[in-house]
């Protein structure tokens, strides 16, 4: 079922096909920029996906082949100094479903942080990334700095923020910004590969492991030692059913 279809230049749209929801930025001629009015639209789309128990994966991507997104508009950075963009990214980072950022092209500014909010990031050859905050004279907000350091390490975070240098797709993969790098023609197939892999897993276990991994990555010592979800899964009939399905059949 499709709830919306992309237009040439409009607010982000939500597309639902079976158990996979896709949020698509839809301003390809403007590098899929994110306008202030888009934040409420994006938040509403996230709530729609969260409320649908049939959905198992959220994909975030852009329209066209040039740019995934150039992030928040320059005018918005200058004129809108509230937490609305930060809050949206925090909601993506905490989203209960697995999230896959399909970077259909290059990525700039705050959209690089949006990508880091996702569990998986697939990029395409020929693309690049660029974090220009220091050139603007903008000290980046704490959540974005934390995500960069957690995902890439302090040395790479310093390199990207303190020099504002652009890097190419191979380097994005090398430093861990990308999970995988594919030809542009292979992006759709790679998205489907991840979707099928996620769908083959037990959703309740995927959710609890995502939550614990994120907590461990955030330095939560209690989460690193927590055994409740592990022990609950050991007692689960679902585990026995799945293990029984793996056993060779007699005859």
């Amino acid at each position: 079922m499709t709830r919306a279809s992309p237009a040439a230049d409009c607010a982000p749209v939500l597309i639902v096909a079976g158990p996979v929801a896709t949020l698509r930025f839809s301003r390809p001629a403007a590098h899929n920029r994110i306008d202030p009015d888009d934040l409420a639209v994006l938040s509403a789309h996230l709530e729609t996906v969260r409320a649908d128990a049939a959905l198992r994966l959220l994909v975030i991507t852009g329209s066209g082949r040039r740019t995934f997104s150039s992030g928040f508009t320059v005018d918005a950075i200058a004129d809108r100094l509230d937490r609305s963009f930060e809050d949206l990214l925090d909601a993506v980072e905490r989203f209960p479903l697995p999230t896959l950022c399909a970077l259909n092209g290059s990525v700039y500014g705050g959209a690089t942080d949006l990508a880091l909010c996702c569990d998986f990031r697939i990029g395409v050859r020929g693309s690049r990334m660029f974090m220009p905050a220091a050139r603007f004279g903008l000290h980046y907000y704490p959540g974005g700095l934390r995500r960069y350091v957690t995902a890439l390490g302090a040395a790479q975070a310093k390199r990207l923020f303190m020099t504002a240098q652009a890097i190419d797709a191979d380097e994005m993969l090398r430093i861990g910004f990308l999970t995988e790098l594919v030809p542009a023609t292979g992006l759709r197939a790679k998205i489907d590969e991840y979707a099928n892999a996620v769908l083959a897993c037990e959703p309740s276990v995927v959710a609890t492991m995502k939550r614990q991994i994120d907590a461990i990555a955030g330095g939560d010592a209690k989460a690193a030692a927590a055994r409740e979800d592990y022990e609950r899964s050991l007692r689960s009939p679902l585990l026995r059913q799945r293990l029984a399905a793996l056993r060779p059949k007699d005859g």
Side-chain angles (χ1 to χ4, degrees):
M1 177 179 66
T2 301
R3 292 185 181 151
S5 58
D9 187 349
C10 65
V13 297
L14 176 65
I15 305 163
V16 174
V20 178
T22 300
L23 267 176
R24 186 184 301 277
F25 298 118
S26 299
R27 294 190 176 97
H31 296 283
N32 291 318
R33 73 177 189 273
I34 302 171
D35 288 344
D37 290 345
D38 293 340
L39 300 179
V41 175
L42 287 164
S43 294
H45 287 333
L46 290 178
E47 287 307 309
T48 296
V49 176
R50 183 193 296 267
D52 191 337
L55 294 176
R56 299 277 307 279
L57 175 68
L58 174 63
V59 176
I60 301 177
T61 193
S63 299
R65 293 200 171 189
R66 280 199 306 168
T67 312
F68 163 67
S69 176
S70 57
F72 218 30
T73 60
V74 172
D75 288 344
I77 293 170
D79 300 335
R80 186 162 178 168
L81 300 179
D82 61 20
R83 286 183 52 96
S84 54
F85 186 64
E86 294 178 62
D87 290 344
L88 173 73
L89 269 58
D90 288 345
V92 174
E93 183 182 29
R94 296 191 302 265
F95 203 69
L97 292 180
T99 50
L100 188 158
C101 186
L103 292 123
N104 53 294
S106 295
V107 56
Y108 309 111
T112 64
D113 188 20
L114 172 61
L116 288 175
C117 292
C118 296
D119 300 312
F120 317 112
R121 293 171 295 281
I122 303 171
V124 296
R125 297 197 180 279
S127 60
R128 64 178 194 158
M129 69 171 289
F130 173 44
M131 170 47 77
R135 291 193 186 178
F136 297 159
L138 174 68
H139 181 106
Y140 215 66
Y141 50 85
L145 293 176
R146 172 183 55 78
R147 279 183 284 267
Y148 260 79
V149 173
T150 300
L152 309 180
Q156 295 299 340
K158 287 178 179 179
R159 172 193 179 190
L160 293 165
F161 274 103
M162 294 168 61
T163 71
Q165 291 179 316
I167 61 173
D168 64 20
D170 287 326
E171 185 68 356
M172 292 158 68
L173 179 66
R174 187 189 73 81
I175 67 173
F177 182 83
L178 294 177
T179 311
E180 296 208 42
L181 178 61
V182 298
T185 55
L187 182 60
R188 180 70 258 172
K190 185 59 70 171
I191 294 170
D192 291 342
E193 179 183 317
Y194 269 75
N196 290 334
V198 168
L199 294 174
C201 295
E202 174 54 44
S204 62
V205 171
V206 169
T208 55
M209 286 200 292
K210 171 176 174 168
R211 185 166 61 241
Q212 187 168 13
I213 290 168
D214 285 345
I216 293 169
D220 186 335
K222 183 178 179 181
R227 298 179 62 84
E228 292 86 353
D229 291 319
Y230 163 65
E231 292 173 354
R232 186 180 303 111
S233 73
L234 287 177
R235 298 189 299 268
S236 170
L238 290 169
L239 176 64
R240 290 172 176 77
Q241 291 170 14
R242 284 181 175 255
L243 290 176
L246 296 175
R247 295 191 182 104
K249 301 293 189 292
D250 293 336

